[in-house]
Amino acid sequence: MNKAGLEDVVASQTAISYIDGQKGDLFYRGYHINDLAEHANFEQTAYLLWFGDFPTEEQYRRVCGLVHDQLGLPKEMMAILFDLPDTAGPMQALRTAISALALHDPEANDNSPEANQQKAMHLMAHFPEIVAANYRIATGQWPLQPMERCGLAANFLWLLKGCEPEPLHVEAMDKCLVLHAEHGLNASTFSARVAASTLSDMYSAVTAALGTLLGPLHGGANQHVMEMLVEVGDPKHAEAYVKNALANKQRIMGFGHRVYKVEDPRAIILREISKELCEQTGNIKYYEISEKIREVTYAEKGLYPNVDFYSATALHALGIKTELFTTIFAVSRVVGWTAHVMEQHADNRLIRPRSEYIGHKNRTFTPIPGCRQAYH
Ligand code: ACO
């Protein structure tokens, strides 16, 4: 039977994350997202998602060292970024750069667990560098070298902005990265697994995932949330905006979810982060607009905010440009994608569903006189 959008179809087994959409719970490798956001940093979370357990102190230091050693983009990659046309958006640039990055990795086509682990760390290290370098080039600034001895969240803020980030901002960015890192068989992860199931390589799978993430119904929503908040402009206009949008059958970006029937647990955590950052940075107006939109959207349509809703105001308060929001999601989610590619390669069967045919049947062909000869 055809299930539109594959809703509720179980297409694979996974031990990476579990979502209880009825209760609003999310677990990475059996750990609740609330505990991870509170206690684990992004590097530890990546290790957990890739290897199934938290690292010991020694393993943690080794992996951080390995990721740090990968930092520094090859000059050929920089040349690609400098050559991109002005029309290339940040996600298009990232997708192009990741595809090109494979050409500089001699192990790109090696799907062994060891080579895949190496590539996962390589990708985790290079994603923030590419996003930041491309942003700086596009805005007429020189790309920066990563800082020594600091975590990925702090380094990412430094590479983007060129000033040492405040501890509160590093913590907020780190939590955002933890919260976005993995989410079951969402559309982009499914793309990655389909590509991996053909025994294609990790770079190709991640490139496919990037192309899937950028759409407005998936990772592109956070950017549209911020654009909506700017358009609304004042909490007192929020009610009319939502009612008018719904009356015109428009979607309120950052609301609704295929799996969660209650509030997305990541949105609950991000709401707190957003509030604190908006208060601290003089952006409380955007938080207040968000709250009003939440109230009206629930009253009118019974929809709850998803992960994209409050991440928009949190990222805005961190001083990150709206057009970069989806790439920030990607910087985090690459960890989940690579964990799924490894899981798929470890026990592979080609993912190849069927479609229900609804087109014409048994049509009579009428040849166009002479068209064959035209090619001889
Ligand atoms: N605004 C208004 N109405 C909505 C919204 C929304 N954000 N989301 C769902 N609905 C309505 C639909 O119009 C439809 O109503 P109807 O039955 O009266 O026609 C009903 O809810 C079901 O909608 P579907 O599209 O069938 O639900 P689906 O499970 O396919 O959609 C999705 C999930 C795509 C996330 C949807 O809620 C949406 O478009 N949200 C806005 C975009 C967004 O925030 N995306 C980010 C999702 S999280 C992530 O990818 C990281």
Side-chain angles (χ1 to χ4, degrees):
M1 194 184 58
N2 168 31
K3 277 266 200 174
L6 298 181
E7 182 162 4
D8 293 332
V9 172
V10 175
S12 74
Q13 291 189 319
T14 185
I16 301 171
S17 67
Y18 172 67
I19 306 165
D20 186 330
Q22 301 296 334
K23 290 192 186 147
D25 286 322
L26 168 63
F27 300 85
Y28 293 173
R29 299 279 189 189
Y31 293 97
H32 199 282
I33 195 68
N34 292 348
D35 294 330
L36 295 169
E38 190 61 34
H39 303 295
N41 69 20
F42 184 50
E43 285 85 342
Q44 288 171 314
T45 303
Y47 191 100
L48 173 72
L49 291 169
W50 290 332
F51 300 108
D53 271 314
F54 275 117
T56 60
E57 216 175 309
E58 192 196 323
Q59 287 167 331
Y60 175 68
R61 269 200 230 100
R62 197 171 61 81
V63 166
C64 289
L66 283 172
V67 171
H68 203 273
D69 288 349
Q70 313 264 357
L71 290 172
L73 286 174
K75 64 178 187 322
E76 297 85 351
M77 291 299 304
M78 283 294 185
I80 288 172
L81 295 177
F82 271 105
D83 271 353
L84 289 174
D86 294 345
T87 48
M91 277 297 281
Q92 285 86 352
L94 179 61
R95 186 191 59 207
T96 304
I98 293 304
S99 181
L101 193 62
L103 308 176
H104 300 283
D105 182 348
E107 294 193 343
N109 296 319
D110 182 348
N111 290 343
S112 65
E114 298 73 24
N116 271 348
Q117 286 163 17
Q118 196 66 26
K119 279 180 276 184
M121 289 184 233
H122 193 60
L123 284 160
M124 180 182 174
H126 285 321
F127 259 58
E129 287 188 298
I130 291 170
V131 168
N134 181 61
Y135 166 68
R136 292 185 70 85
I137 292 166
T139 51
Q141 305 171 81
W142 277 104
L144 297 166
Q145 288 302 313
M147 291 195 290
E148 287 295 323
R149 295 182 182 283
C150 82
L152 195 136
N155 232 330
F156 188 26
L157 287 170
W158 155 257
L159 289 170
L160 279 170
K161 304 202 306 176
C163 55
E164 207 168 310
E166 289 181 39
L168 175 70
H169 294 189
V170 174
E171 192 187 330
M173 173 56 89
D174 193 60
K175 284 189 182 182
C176 284
L177 296 175
V178 169
L179 291 170
H180 285 83
E182 159 62 11
H183 207 236
L185 214 53
N186 57 86
S188 54
T189 302
F190 186 52
S191 286
R193 283 194 85 126
V194 170
S197 84
T198 70
L199 296 184
S200 184
D201 64 282
M202 189 178 270
Y203 289 99
S204 300
V206 167
T207 305
L210 278 166
T212 311
L213 184 73
L214 73 78
L217 297 189
H218 190 13
N222 53 9
Q223 176 174 338
H224 293 286
V225 169
M226 199 61 226
E227 286 161 1
M228 168 176 74
L229 299 178
V230 171
E231 190 184 336
V232 172
D234 189 296
K236 67 175 185 283
H237 300 145
E239 183 170 358
Y241 177 93
V242 172
K243 287 184 171 170
N244 184 46
L246 292 176
N248 288 308
K249 302 261 171 253
Q250 285 168 14
R251 296 202 167 208
I252 311 297
M253 287 292 143
F255 283 83
H257 200 276
R258 177 63 67 77
V259 183
Y260 291 116
K261 304 304 170 206
V262 293
E263 194 162 4
D264 183 330
R266 301 165 299 173
I268 298 172
I269 303 168
L270 282 162
R271 179 157 65 236
E272 288 309 308
I273 296 173
S274 160
K275 184 167 186 254
E276 189 178 7
L277 287 174
C278 285
E279 273 168 358
Q280 196 241 0
T281 58
N283 282 292
I284 198 66
K285 176 179 85 172
Y286 289 120
Y287 178 77
E288 286 167 3
I289 299 172
S290 306
E291 284 302 79
K292 193 67 196 164
I293 290 178
R294 173 166 76 107
E295 194 187 303
V296 182
T297 306
Y298 182 74
E300 293 292 313
K301 198 82 185 169
L303 289 168
Y304 294 98
N306 59 46
V307 68
D308 283 317
F309 191 59
Y310 292 102
S311 68
T313 35
L315 294 175
H316 179 82
L318 285 174
I320 292 168
K321 296 283 176 228
T322 307
E323 62 270 22
L324 292 181
F325 284 7
T326 311
T327 57
I328 311 289
F329 193 151
V331 163
S332 165
R333 185 56 61 86
V334 69
V335 165
W337 294 333
T338 49
H340 277 270
V341 170
M342 289 192 264
E343 192 178 60
Q344 185 69 37
H345 280 164
D347 184 16
N348 188 57
R349 183 143 198 253
L350 178 72
I351 299 174
R352 201 287 185 208
R354 301 270 307 267
S355 54
E356 181 191 354
Y357 181 69
I358 55 163
H360 295 287
K361 283 184 183 152
N362 296 327
R363 302 173 88 186
T364 305
F365 181 69
T366 311
I368 300 168
C371 74
R372 194 39 46 95
Q373 285 86 334
Y375 291 99
H376 293 298

